[in-house]
Amino acid sequence: HFAHRDGFLIKQAYDILSQGLSDVPESGYIRVSRKAFAIADVERFEDIHSIVHKLNYASQTPDSIYDMFKPVMSASSQEKYEEYRSKNRAACETRFIERDQFSRFLTDFYHQYLEDACFKEYQEGMREYFKKIFSAEDVFFDVGYSGRVELVLNKLLGFKIRSFYIHSNNEYLDKRCSLGEIENTCFYNYKPIVTGVVREHIISELAPSTIGYTLEDGKIEPVFDAFEMNYPTVFVTQIG
């Protein structure tokens, strides 16, 4: 299975190279992302601060955290936050500037809005959704980098997850492999000079990102970000 967007070009190459070959696994396109999986393994208050290590706090706002947790929030908690936001719109749209500030906000947010959240139902819905897509014999490909998606899939599905990366960025990959049943192979054993946004513009599908999942009547559906072709994206892909 190739990761949605970042695995797009590599999937196309795989499909071309495997044409006419027997005993070659059929490729799949799995709608996952590190952001979409941010709350997939949150079950209780003790798990809430894992979000600090999963997200770039400087790009988050109270509203973005609300949107992320909204699928597990009760109707009364959503109404409570919406009322708060109506009176504090500027604060809710302001990005966090310090990690400690972000951590304190998550603590307050949990106690204010998540103590009655349906984390177990959400996880069960995620488990049923991915059980239909991913089996114990399957492998997962992504550009990189940290094993976060694989660790969540391992927890949800209960079997070893095998993955392939172009490269990893830091020690988090080894740490997560040791925390769960994950077997990862990197094409490069070092971090290439050209990484990040420039490369991802070139190899990624020009389509909305998967940013989360909704839970409706016990069923999970992917949620996609708004997609807009900006000038840098057009420029880089035209050169390619």
Side-chain angles (χ1 to χ4, degrees):
H1 297 279
F2 293 85
H4 180 229
R5 292 194 75 241
D6 286 0
F8 176 73
L9 188 64
I10 310 302
K11 180 184 184 303
Q12 286 191 315
Y14 178 89
D15 290 342
I16 292 171
L17 293 171
S18 63
Q19 285 181 0
L21 299 179
S22 60
D23 300 324
V24 175
E26 183 178 348
S27 69
Y29 203 41
I30 187 168
R31 300 190 181 279
V32 296
S33 72
R34 293 173 290 278
K35 182 177 181 180
F37 270 20
I39 69 169
D41 56 353
V42 173
E43 297 181 23
R44 57 186 70 87
F45 174 71
E46 288 76 13
D47 302 324
I48 201 72
H49 288 283
S50 66
I51 303 295
V52 175
H53 304 288
K54 295 174 181 177
L55 302 177
N56 175 11
Y57 69 87
S59 64
Q60 303 303 315
T61 67
D63 273 356
S64 71
I65 298 302
Y66 167 63
D67 289 338
M68 183 176 69
F69 279 107
K70 192 174 180 180
V72 300
M73 290 171 64
S74 66
S76 60
S77 289
Q78 290 183 39
E79 184 178 342
K80 183 178 178 182
Y81 182 85
E82 294 285 358
E83 182 179 353
Y84 172 80
R85 180 168 59 178
S86 68
K87 300 174 183 177
N88 302 272
R89 186 168 298 278
C92 291
E93 295 174 353
T94 301
R95 294 182 180 183
F96 299 100
I97 57 175
E98 294 180 351
R99 184 181 295 272
D100 287 346
Q101 175 200 22
F102 184 47
S103 180
R104 291 193 301 272
F105 172 82
L106 288 172
T107 297
D108 293 340
F109 190 86
Y110 181 90
H111 290 308
Q112 289 286 332
Y113 307 108
L114 297 176
E115 289 187 340
D116 60 349
C118 58
F119 289 117
K120 289 185 179 180
E121 292 86 344
Y122 184 77
Q123 283 194 354
E124 186 57 35
M126 293 281 282
R127 183 177 295 107
E128 290 301 314
Y129 177 79
F130 284 103
K131 191 167 65 175
K132 297 174 183 177
I133 298 172
F134 209 96
S135 70
E137 295 77 27
D138 292 349
V139 296
F140 171 66
F141 172 85
D142 200 352
V143 174
Y145 303 97
S146 65
R148 188 185 305 158
V149 168
E150 294 94 310
L151 185 57
V152 172
L153 286 174
N154 174 232
K155 290 180 178 180
L156 287 174
L157 301 176
F159 52 72
K160 178 189 285 188
I161 303 297
R162 293 178 295 157
S163 63
F164 292 92
Y165 284 176
I166 293 178
H167 69 90
S168 65
N169 275 355
N170 49 47
E171 71 280 2
Y172 281 117
L173 175 60
D174 291 337
K175 181 178 179 180
R176 289 191 171 110
C177 285
S178 66
L179 288 173
E181 287 188 282
I182 301 169
E183 180 184 316
N184 177 270
T185 302
C186 290
F187 184 77
Y188 293 119
N189 61 1
Y190 59 89
K191 181 180 177 180
I193 295 174
V194 179
T195 63
V197 175
V198 173
R199 185 186 60 199
E200 290 177 4
H201 271 309
I202 297 172
I203 70 172
S204 297
E205 181 184 15
L206 298 178
S209 300
T210 306
I211 58 171
Y213 305 91
T214 59
L215 178 64
E216 297 288 343
D217 298 324
K219 295 182 179 180
I220 290 289
E221 291 293 338
V223 176
F224 302 104
D225 198 2
F227 179 69
E228 184 176 342
M229 287 279 285
N230 56 30
Y231 175 74
T233 300
V234 174
F235 179 78
V236 169
T237 52
Q238 284 181 342
I239 290 178

